[in-house]
Amino acid sequence: MSERKRPDLRRWLPWVAGAAAVLAAIVVGSMIFDRGGASGGTDFPAPLPHERQATVSHDDFVGSDECEECHKHEYDLWKHSTHGNAGGLPGDVRIIAPFDGVPIRFADAVVTPRTDAGQPVFHVREASGIEQVFEVAGVVGGGHMVGGGTQAFFAEFPDGTYRFLPFDYIRQEEVWFCQTAGRADSGWAPITPDLALAACNDWPPNRVLGASEGVANCQQCHGSQITVRYDFEAKNYETRFTTLAINCESCHGPGSRHIEIADSDSIDSVTDIGVEALATLDKDGSLQVCFQCHAVKAELQPGYISGEPLEDYFSDLMLLLSYRPYFPDGRIRVFAYQQQHLYSDCYLNGSMTCVDCHDPHSQRYRDIWWEPLVGRFSDGQCLDCHPSKATEVEVLRSELSDEAWEVASARPRLDEERVLINSHTYHPVGAPGGRCIDCHMPYLQEPDVGQQLRYSRSDHTIPIPRPGLDAFFGIENACVKCHGDLSLSQVQEKVQEWYGELKPPKSLIRGLIEARGVEDRNEAARLMLMPEEEYVPLLFTNLAYFNLTYLTPDMPALEEAIVDRLMQLAQNDDPDLQALALASLHLAHGSDPAVRQFLAERLRRLDEQDWAIRRRWVWVLSFRGDTYSALNQPRLGLAAYQKAAEILPGNPEVLRNLGVGYGNAGDLAASIRYLRESLEADPNDPNTMESLAVALSLQGEFDAAIALFTEAIDLKPDEARLFVTLGNTLIRAGNVDSAIESFRRALTLDPSMAVANFTLAAIYIQQDRRQEAITALQNGLSYDPSNARALEMLADLQR
């Protein structure tokens, strides 16, 4: 290979951008002015003291079996429910997947699920010759869900985590599968000899049970009282859980105090019985119980356990800013269905909660009077509130087509010439298309899953079928589920014939749709931002889109009408919406004296909500900063981080982001200063040590940088990323041999670190080690198959 074609090693030297692990190339340029504190003439009030101490510990939980004596009816219902059988330890739960020794064949590996001495295990033999045995330590799921039920398996790892194994089993199709998003990008894919094990995005196993910062995780949803804590002294994780089923205390909170009161014979004479009476909660309080698991949540601080206030630890709406799982009307855009409830008219204009339809103990269906439904497709639930939709009319055979008569006559009919048709559905009573859920809660395949395996969930937005709007979003219309032979125009024509002018979507939904492609910011605000409306989820959705599309840091001018709308939204009682509106004003126009005065005044009024609002406010600004860093717009990212530092000054995470922001923008002196301040605030943070080490190395202080890496690695010796960034530093220091060893160590810990393989390949090319470079590139591309630079290097080597 000619010298001019040798890759630039700097191409593979990333800057690790703090908490979000955003990778952006360092742009070394002129020093920028450190604005640091407030601008605009008004100082923000300091945060109120926040010493939030957990009020619940694992010792407060007693387990569901303790509930049986006094609550046997509820206990028996729960014991046979999907919650009661949601998972557990091998031997305690029914395993539906076949651990029968029949190999699962990948293109590059053979995985054999079998039972060794009564214990389910996976024997993995890769084409490279590597063999591993994973003993199943936890089982999640039992194939219960009608629209696609699965069962997953976890193994306990030496670092103390329980990690998800990428060998899922789906009951309906009776096949093993894995998720390929980010690798092969074919959604949930059945495992076949054409699929590489490396195409599964959970290989090597990396997703942990429980919530843990900086690690792919399942939060606390697939079990009860799951906590994951890193012990810096033991240099290991401590994973604890009561059960991998969903127990009574997951909803009711810890039961020890309740049992003490019951045993004291005073329970009938006290108002505080030691647990909350969930039946007395308002609709949002009731939803919060279910949203512990059945929602897409942004973590605000670690350590949540059932019984603690959920809103102190998680935000239900913030991830709609970044993840955006739903279309403007709440229907599924990517994945996650239960939170759609927030977009339903039955919730927005009614009092509907999850337990209005789902018995919380049996998980069976019921009506609003808590009476069991006849069947899961029964109209009893809907007709409690909409009785007029049950009207039936007689229809003569002559009024129906032959096909319609065939369907209708399959139902009980009046005589040879007459049948009953529902006057609202225009379908035979009880037949497909004649039931409420057929049109208003159709099962929709979740797009992220793909089309190879069935994983559909009923639409919890409970929409009106609108063929045109459905087609606009690319959603399968309820009508075509049965009438797939009809065109969109035919379906639209029939709906209009039956129902005339349909009830339009809510103004907030229409506004967001109409604003699509609108360049004029003021017009977009008029269409999208409607503070006079009362639908918080829709207000948040629209403001999130507006924030991302039309607002940038320190805009020189922002129309008065927009400022006014944002100020009104900032006075909403909902903490998520309030914080997003405040952060939007701060981001875009926080230097304006009037806006700054308004923000300062709002901060002074927060009182007991001070931490909750500030933390959410900072979450928004940090997300915008991370996004700009990822897009290689370092000055805009820094501006967002600087604003976050005004809201939570002295916070170690905020200081770390600020230090990384200055580094990305080329001001290494300021970067090092803020990173050191972050480390003073939190001396045991390997992420900050890593970022500070990178900044010091870029300034030529290699000994200090390597010493910091050594300290960070001593704290978390199994963190593969630390060895990658150490390797980058060693390259800058000219110690290439040690860099090679560092990258190899990273790959030993995590073979999926494609960047380590690509950097090794670049080094090998510099050293004329052609075959080793080819192998490293091929290994990296198996996990990052679309990396253009690596593909170019490999093609060049193979010429």
Side-chain angles (χ1 to χ4, degrees):
M1 175 178 289
S2 64
E3 185 66 23
R4 64 184 177 84
K5 289 186 178 179
R6 289 185 175 181
D8 183 353
L9 287 180
R10 291 172 297 177
R11 171 65 179 78
W12 304 110
L13 306 187
W15 174 270
V16 181
V22 177
L23 299 180
I26 272 286
V27 181
V28 181
S30 59
M31 303 291 280
I32 66 174
F33 179 63
D34 178 5
R35 295 185 304 168
S39 60
T42 301
D43 291 333
F44 288 159
L48 297 176
H50 178 71
E51 296 295 334
R52 176 77 172 82
Q53 298 296 323
T55 59
V56 178
S57 73
H58 276 276
D59 295 337
D60 297 318
F61 294 89
V62 297
S64 293
D65 289 345
E66 293 295 320
C67 305
E68 182 181 13
E69 181 180 350
C70 298
H71 305 282
K72 183 166 176 54
H73 175 68
E74 290 81 6
Y75 176 86
D76 287 344
L77 290 175
W78 166 82
K79 190 72 173 177
H80 297 94
S81 72
T82 52
H83 275 173
N85 294 277
L89 304 180
D92 296 338
V93 294
R94 176 173 174 257
I95 294 179
I96 63 172
F99 283 81
D100 54 4
V102 176
I104 310 169
R105 299 191 182 277
F106 288 89
D108 55 354
V110 175
V111 177
T112 305
R114 70 188 198 198
T115 302
D116 289 352
Q119 179 70 31
V121 299
F122 291 97
H123 285 249
V124 180
R125 186 177 73 252
E126 298 182 63
S128 62
I130 297 175
E131 294 193 33
Q132 300 180 75
V133 177
F134 298 97
E135 186 174 293
V136 173
V139 181
V140 167
H144 305 296
M145 303 300 287
V146 173
T150 65
Q151 189 166 68
F153 304 93
F154 287 77
E156 187 174 6
F157 276 67
D159 66 354
T161 60
Y162 283 69
R163 300 193 188 186
F164 171 74
L165 301 173
F167 320 117
D168 250 326
Y169 189 79
I170 189 164
R171 177 172 57 86
Q172 281 87 339
E173 287 88 343
E174 296 184 335
V175 298
W176 296 93
F177 71 94
C178 75
Q179 170 63 280
T180 66
R183 300 260 179 97
D185 281 331
S186 56
W188 288 11
I191 297 171
T192 69
D194 296 324
L195 180 74
L197 177 57
C200 301
N201 65 5
D202 286 302
W203 181 261
N206 58 77
R207 185 149 47 105
V208 306
L209 187 71
S212 181
E213 182 184 7
V215 180
N217 65 80
C218 305
Q219 293 188 346
Q220 293 98 334
C221 300
H222 294 293
S224 299
Q225 296 85 54
I226 304 172
T227 58
V228 181
R229 184 183 69 88
Y230 189 78
D231 186 332
F232 286 102
E233 290 187 7
K235 298 176 176 47
N236 219 352
Y237 288 93
E238 179 189 51
T239 302
R240 297 184 66 181
F241 53 85
T242 305
T243 172
L244 295 182
I246 309 303
N247 66 9
C248 304
E249 292 166 297
S250 291
C251 301
H252 291 278
S256 59
R257 185 165 167 269
H258 177 62
I259 289 178
E260 288 175 8
I261 295 171
D263 288 345
S264 70
D265 294 327
S266 64
I267 198 162
D268 292 329
S269 60
V270 297
T271 56
D272 178 6
I273 62 172
V275 292
E276 191 168 18
L278 302 186
T280 66
L281 297 174
D282 63 16
K283 70 174 181 179
D284 288 312
S286 180
L287 289 180
Q288 286 295 301
V289 176
C290 303
F291 281 178
Q292 293 178 84
C293 296
H294 295 284
V296 179
K297 310 183 299 297
E299 188 175 40
L300 301 174
Q301 66 173 343
Y304 177 74
I305 192 169
S306 49
E308 294 282 1
L310 184 68
E311 62 275 11
D312 283 359
Y313 293 85
F314 290 101
S315 160
D316 291 335
L317 296 178
M318 281 298 163
L319 274 188
L320 302 185
L321 180 69
S322 57
Y323 177 52
R324 288 183 288 161
Y326 307 124
F327 286 112
D329 64 351
R331 286 182 295 171
I332 293 173
R333 190 179 68 87
V334 286
F335 192 81
Y337 71 97
Q338 304 97 328
Q339 202 174 13
Q340 294 179 294
H341 181 113
L342 294 176
Y343 294 81
S344 167
D345 245 343
C346 301
Y347 163 79
L348 292 171
N349 288 324
S351 61
M352 188 181 75
T353 68
C354 303
V355 296
D356 283 329
C357 302
H358 302 274
D359 184 297
H361 298 112
S362 70
Q363 276 82 72
R364 296 184 183 276
Y365 298 94
R366 67 184 189 183
D367 65 19
I368 62 173
W369 310 111
W370 295 11
E371 292 296 325
L373 298 185
V374 175
R376 58 187 308 273
F377 297 119
S378 169
D379 293 335
Q381 168 57 249
C382 303
L383 296 179
D384 279 339
C385 296
H386 305 279
S388 66
K389 308 304 182 186
T391 305
E392 299 171 0
V393 295
E394 296 180 14
V395 178
L396 295 174
R397 178 171 186 167
S398 59
E399 297 178 41
L400 297 174
S401 66
D402 290 342
E403 184 179 30
W405 174 259
E406 184 179 349
V407 173
S409 62
R411 300 278 149 182
R413 57 191 181 191
L414 300 174
D415 53 39
E416 291 301 316
E417 295 297 326
R418 295 178 303 154
V419 294
L420 284 177
I421 297 292
N422 183 285
S423 63
H424 175 66
T425 67
Y426 293 89
H427 284 70
V429 176
R435 302 167 300 200
C436 300
I437 67 164
D438 293 329
C439 296
H440 297 290
M441 295 190 75
Y443 272 64
L444 299 177
Q445 184 79 355
E446 305 207 1
D448 263 13
V449 170
Q451 297 296 325
Q452 298 187 69
L453 298 171
R454 184 171 183 254
Y455 189 80
S456 59
R457 296 293 182 261
S458 57
D459 188 344
H460 277 59
T461 64
I462 315 180
I464 294 172
R466 298 182 177 94
L469 185 63
D470 296 346
F472 176 77
F473 289 141
I475 295 172
E476 183 183 28
N477 182 260
C479 304
V480 302
K481 285 188 166 293
C482 295
H483 303 287
D485 57 323
L486 299 182
S487 67
L488 171 63
S489 60
Q490 288 174 311
V491 172
Q492 184 75 42
E493 182 180 338
K494 181 57 70 174
V495 169
Q496 288 176 342
E497 175 190 331
W498 284 348
Y499 302 106
E501 188 71 24
L502 293 178
K503 176 183 176 182
K506 287 186 167 44
S507 56
L508 283 161
I509 296 172
R510 294 200 312 273
L512 185 54
I513 294 170
E514 292 169 11
R516 178 174 174 155
V518 172
E519 295 184 6
D520 183 86
R521 185 170 59 238
N522 212 34
E523 175 63 9
R526 185 189 67 79
L527 291 168
M528 297 166 64
L529 306 183
M530 304 176 189
E532 69 279 3
E533 295 281 356
E534 58 183 353
Y535 307 123
V536 168
L538 303 183
L539 288 166
F540 188 97
T541 299
N542 286 21
L543 180 53
Y545 274 82
F546 189 84
N547 178 294
L548 294 170
T549 307
Y550 297 98
L551 301 182
T552 57
D554 297 319
M555 300 170 73
L558 190 61
E559 292 80 357
E560 185 177 344
I562 296 177
V563 171
D564 182 63
R565 290 173 189 268
L566 292 174
M567 285 182 173
Q568 290 183 61
L569 289 168
Q571 297 175 68
N572 192 284
D573 291 336
D574 182 82
D576 289 328
L577 179 58
Q578 184 181 159
L580 178 57
L582 290 166
S584 298
L585 279 167
H586 191 194
L587 178 78
H589 216 43
S591 298
D592 177 80
V595 169
R596 194 167 187 84
Q597 182 65 40
F598 172 82
L599 296 174
E601 184 59 30
R602 294 306 304 172
L603 284 168
R604 291 188 189 96
R605 294 184 179 185
L606 292 179
D607 296 327
E608 69 276 4
Q609 278 200 312
D610 184 80
W611 185 88
I613 299 297
R614 286 180 188 260
R615 187 66 190 87
R616 287 165 168 80
W617 189 333
V618 164
W619 195 97
V620 175
L621 294 172
S622 298
F623 167 70
R624 292 300 307 268
D626 292 345
T627 302
Y628 284 125
S629 296
L631 295 173
N632 199 20
Q633 296 178 296
R635 292 175 184 268
L636 293 177
L638 176 58
Y641 294 142
Q642 286 172 323
K643 293 175 186 296
E646 290 187 283
I647 305 306
L648 284 180
N651 179 278
E653 178 188 342
V654 171
L655 289 169
R656 182 175 72 230
N657 284 343
L658 193 56
V660 169
Y662 275 109
N664 285 338
D667 190 340
L668 292 178
S671 174
I672 290 169
R673 184 169 74 254
Y674 282 110
L675 290 169
R676 281 178 170 154
E677 286 184 22
S678 176
L679 205 53
E680 287 176 10
D682 184 0
N684 285 330
D685 187 350
N687 293 327
T688 304
M689 293 178 185
E690 176 187 21
S691 296
L692 178 55
V694 171
L696 289 170
S697 73
L698 290 171
Q699 199 161 265
E701 299 181 42
F702 296 114
D703 290 342
I706 292 171
L708 265 174
F709 273 119
T710 301
E711 187 177 350
I713 289 169
D714 182 61
L715 286 171
K716 293 194 85 170
D718 295 326
E719 188 68 70
R721 193 191 69 248
L722 292 173
F723 289 94
V724 172
T725 44
L726 171 59
N728 294 335
T729 297
L730 290 167
I731 290 174
R732 294 188 185 100
N735 192 344
V736 176
D737 289 341
S738 295
I740 291 173
E741 291 306 311
S742 190
F743 290 124
R744 286 175 174 168
R745 175 61 177 157
L747 290 167
T748 299
L749 291 168
D750 184 358
S752 70
M753 296 285 289
V755 69
N757 269 309
F758 297 152
T759 311
L760 275 175
I763 294 172
Y764 292 149
I765 292 170
Q766 294 281 355
Q767 297 178 341
D768 290 323
R769 297 161 68 174
R770 183 173 178 274
Q771 189 53 53
E772 288 173 279
I774 290 174
T775 300
L777 287 168
Q778 289 172 334
N779 289 340
L781 285 167
S782 65
Y783 295 103
D784 184 8
S786 61
N787 190 292
R789 179 67 181 120
L791 288 168
E792 178 187 340
M793 291 166 64
L794 182 62
D796 194 23
L797 285 168
Q798 292 178 330
R799 284 195 182 100

